[in-house]
Amino acid sequence: MAITLSKINEAPLGLENKPSVVNNFRRFKIYICAQKKLNIERQHNRLNRSIALSVNNSIACLSEKAGSQYFFLFLAMVENKHLHQCFLMKIFKNIALSILVIGLVFFAIEFIVAKVLFKEDSYYYHIRKFVLIPNATSEFTPQVFLNYITTPGHKNFEGKLQINTAGLRSRNEYAIPKKDSTLRILFLGGSTTYGEVDDLEMAFPYIIETQLKEQLAALKLPFNTIECLNAGLGSGTSAELLNHYQLKYQYFNPDLVVIHTGINDGLAYANTPDYTYQPDYHTFKKTMQPLPAITPFIRNVSKSYIGSALLANTLFKAQLQNNFTNNDFLHYHNNLKWFSGGNDSMLIPQYNAFYNNISSLINTILFQQKKVLLVTEVVNEKYMPQFLKDMLGNGVAINNNFLLQIAKQQNIPLCNLSNYPFHDTLFIADDGIHVNETGEVVKAKAILKHLLPIINPTPASKK
C-alpha cells in the first residue's frame, strides 16, 4: 500500500507536548523512511510490469512462430478448468499416438531385419544365438605358442557343454598319465574333425567310440575301456596340428592318432592377384582375436534383432569374422615375406608346407612308437559358397594327393573318403565342406573300417 505525506501528518505521533523543533525533526525522520518504502514499492511494481510484458511478448512470439494452438489454450486454461482438462487430454492422446506409431515402425523394422539378415545358419543368426547363451564364451581362445585353442567350458547354442578343461570336444576328463588298461585314440584335424553338428555326440569321433565300446568284448582286446579324444580345431591347418601335438597332445599318450585334414591348408594355394605363398602361412591365416566380454547389457540388447545387427557390425565385427565365417580370411603381410621360392614352388613337396608339416607330425608319432591312420577330405562344390570355391580352387585335391604320397612312402594305412558314397544330402546346405548328422555317421563307418585292423591286427578282425 502506498504511503502519502497527508497520512503521515494525520497519524497520531504522540508529540503534542514536545518542543516543536523535536516534533518537526521526528516528523521529518518518519517522512524519509516512508519515502524509502515508497521508492522500493515503485521499483517492485516496475519490475513486475516488465516481467509480465516479457512473458506476454514471449508467448506471442512463440505462438506466432509455431502456429500452435497450445499457447492460446495455455492462456485460457488458467481461467477455464474445462479447457485445462481438454488441453491435457490432447497432449496425452498425441503422446500415446506417437508411442504407438514409433512402436509399429520399430516392430516393422525388427521384422524386416529378422527376415533379411537373420536367416538360419547366416552370420548374424549365429552371432545372436551365441550372445544369448547364458555365460556364453567364444569357441576359440588365443594362446601364445598354440596360436589358439577351443575354449575350455565352451557350450553350444543350446547351452550344452562341448569342451572339457583340456580343450577337447568332450564332457569327459582324460587322465594323465593314461592307464595301461585304456585304449586311447586321438583324432587330429580341423572343423571337419571337430564336427559342425549341434552336439559332440553327433560328431564321428564320439560315434566311433560308442561303436568300439559295443564291440570291445567281441574284439577281445587287452583293454578295459576305449577313449576317443576329439582334438578337432576349427580353421586349424597342418601347422596347428603339428604344433598342438608336440606341445600338448603327445602328453595324453595316445595309442593311435587319426589325422583327418587338408581343407584349411588348401587356402594356402589361394588364387588371388596380391597373394604370395609363404610356408609359415602368415599370408593367409589370421591371428585369432579374443571376443569382448558378454555383459548383461549386451545380452539384453541382442534380444532385439536390430540390436544384434548393430553389435555384429560394431563391437563384434573384427573378432567374429574369423570365428564364424571364412570371409576376409586372407591376411596379407607384404613386409614379412621371407620365402622367395614363388607361388610355383608350393606344389613341390620339398617346399610344400602341408606335405612337410604332416610328414613331421607322422615322424614324431612313429618315433614314439604310436600308430597312425591318415584320412583324406571330401567336399561338395555344389553346396560350397562361391568365394570359398574361388579361394580353394583345387587345393583340397592337391592335399589329398600329398596324403596318398605320404601314406605310400611311410607305409601308413589311409582311409580315402572319396571312395565312399558321400551324396549331396550328407552335406550341410550352403556349406559343401562339413557333413550333417547323417554324414557324420557315414564318415564314422568308413574310418572305423580302417581302424579295426589297426587296433586288432588278428585274423578274427578280418572276418
Side-chain angles (χ1 to χ4, degrees):
M1 178 184 294
I3 303 175
T4 61
L5 291 177
S6 61
K7 291 185 178 181
I8 295 177
N9 293 328
E10 295 173 358
L13 299 175
L15 301 176
E16 291 79 1
N17 298 324
K18 301 294 180 180
S20 59
V21 175
V22 175
N23 291 340
N24 290 336
F25 176 76
R26 289 186 176 180
R27 285 193 180 96
F28 179 74
K29 189 175 180 181
I30 293 172
Y31 169 77
I32 294 299
C33 292
Q35 191 66 29
K36 288 182 179 180
K37 292 181 179 180
L38 180 61
N39 291 336
I40 292 173
E41 185 174 331
R42 288 173 178 172
Q43 290 177 1
H44 286 173
N45 291 337
R46 284 197 297 269
L47 181 61
N48 291 336
R49 286 195 300 270
S50 176
I51 291 174
L53 182 61
S54 299
V55 170
N56 291 334
N57 290 338
S58 298
I59 292 175
C61 180
L62 290 173
S63 299
E64 182 178 354
K65 289 182 178 180
S68 174
Q69 57 182 335
Y70 294 126
F71 295 103
F72 299 105
L73 289 172
F74 175 75
L75 294 175
M77 74 179 183
V78 178
E79 299 295 334
N80 193 316
K81 184 177 180 181
H82 177 70
L83 288 178
H84 183 199
Q85 294 176 347
C86 292
F87 174 77
L88 293 177
M89 287 298 296
K90 193 162 188 177
I91 290 179
F92 291 150
K93 287 181 179 180
N94 287 339
I95 293 175
L97 182 61
S98 300
I99 294 174
L100 179 61
V101 171
I102 293 173
L104 291 175
V105 171
F106 174 82
F107 284 112
I109 297 175
E110 183 88 350
F111 178 80
I112 295 172
V113 170
K115 290 295 182 182
V116 175
L117 297 181
F118 290 86
K119 297 178 181 178
E120 189 171 358
D121 289 332
S122 68
Y123 168 67
Y124 293 97
Y125 173 83
H126 284 297
I127 292 176
R128 185 171 185 268
K129 287 189 69 176
F130 166 73
V131 174
L132 291 179
I133 298 174
N135 302 318
T137 57
S138 170
E139 186 176 0
F140 306 118
T141 298
Q143 279 208 353
V144 177
F145 296 107
L146 297 178
N147 188 8
Y148 66 99
I149 63 170
T150 46
T151 304
H154 175 68
K155 299 178 181 179
N156 64 5
F157 295 135
E158 284 71 36
K160 292 183 179 180
L161 181 67
Q162 298 297 301
I163 308 298
N164 67 5
T165 57
L168 295 163
R169 191 173 192 188
S170 175
R171 298 188 184 97
N172 301 321
E173 301 296 336
Y174 302 103
I176 299 177
K178 178 183 74 70
K179 295 180 180 180
D180 294 336
S181 60
T182 300
L183 172 63
R184 182 170 287 177
I185 304 174
L186 176 67
F187 291 84
L188 291 175
S191 57
T192 55
T193 298
Y194 179 87
E196 289 298 305
V197 284
D198 293 336
D199 190 56
L200 61 89
E201 297 181 359
M202 302 174 184
F204 77 83
Y206 184 90
I207 297 173
I208 290 177
E209 178 182 295
T210 302
Q211 294 183 2
L212 283 176
K213 286 180 177 179
E214 293 174 354
Q215 301 179 41
L216 185 59
L219 292 173
K220 297 180 180 180
L221 298 175
F223 304 103
N224 295 330
T225 185
I226 296 176
E227 296 175 343
C228 290
L229 281 60
N230 186 344
L233 181 68
S235 299
T237 66
S238 59
E240 278 85 20
L241 269 59
L242 173 62
N243 196 24
H244 282 222
Y245 183 81
Q246 290 183 332
L247 297 181
K248 181 178 181 180
Y249 291 125
Q250 66 166 317
Y251 298 105
F252 285 88
N253 193 24
D255 301 287
L256 170 62
V257 180
V258 178
I259 303 173
H260 176 41
T261 187
I263 294 179
N264 295 321
D265 288 79
L267 292 168
Y269 314 116
N271 183 22
T272 57
D274 299 328
Y275 179 73
T276 301
Y277 171 74
Q278 296 288 289
D280 62 0
Y281 285 171
H282 78 266
T283 48
F284 86 92
K285 188 68 180 289
K286 281 186 175 181
T287 301
M288 184 59 61
Q289 298 293 323
L291 284 172
I294 310 292
T295 63
F297 172 77
I298 291 176
R299 188 168 287 111
N300 289 331
V301 170
S302 296
K303 292 179 181 178
S304 163
Y305 289 101
I306 298 174
S308 295
L310 291 175
L311 289 174
N313 288 284
T314 54
L315 186 61
F316 293 95
K317 184 176 182 179
Q319 293 82 1
L320 294 179
Q321 275 185 338
N322 197 30
N323 291 6
F324 286 97
T325 70
N326 287 322
N327 288 320
D328 197 26
F329 194 70
L330 296 180
H331 193 50
Y332 302 123
H333 294 279
N334 295 324
N335 59 331
L336 298 178
K337 294 177 181 177
W338 55 269
F339 181 73
S340 58
N343 290 356
D344 295 335
S345 63
M346 63 186 176
L347 300 181
I348 303 174
Q350 180 182 356
Y351 301 112
N352 183 273
F354 179 78
Y355 178 89
N356 287 286
N357 289 339
I358 296 299
S359 297
S360 298
L361 175 59
I362 292 174
N363 291 336
T364 301
I365 297 170
L366 295 178
F367 178 78
Q368 297 171 342
Q369 297 183 347
K370 313 297 182 182
K371 298 177 180 179
V372 180
L373 172 64
L374 294 179
V375 181
T376 62
E377 295 279 13
V378 59
V379 297
N380 188 319
E381 293 189 357
K382 179 179 178 180
Y383 289 153
M384 193 179 298
Q386 188 61 44
F387 80 91
L388 190 55
K389 189 186 301 183
D390 293 339
M391 286 199 299
L392 275 174
N394 59 347
V396 178
I398 293 173
N399 289 337
N400 281 340
N401 287 331
F402 278 134
L403 289 178
L404 292 171
Q405 291 182 36
I406 294 171
K408 185 176 181 180
Q409 292 168 359
Q410 303 204 32
N411 194 26
I412 294 173
L414 178 139
C415 173
N416 192 349
L417 293 181
S418 61
N419 295 332
Y420 292 86
F422 281 87
H423 304 296
D424 294 347
T425 56
L426 299 180
F427 288 87
I428 298 175
D430 299 325
D431 185 312
I433 291 176
H434 305 98
V435 295
N436 54 29
E437 298 174 21
T438 307
E440 291 285 342
V441 174
V442 174
K443 185 182 289 188
K445 289 181 179 179
I447 296 174
L448 184 60
K449 183 177 180 180
H450 292 79
L451 272 178
L452 288 174
I454 300 174
I455 63 179
N456 189 25
T458 63
S461 66
K462 299 180 182 179
K463 291 183 180 179

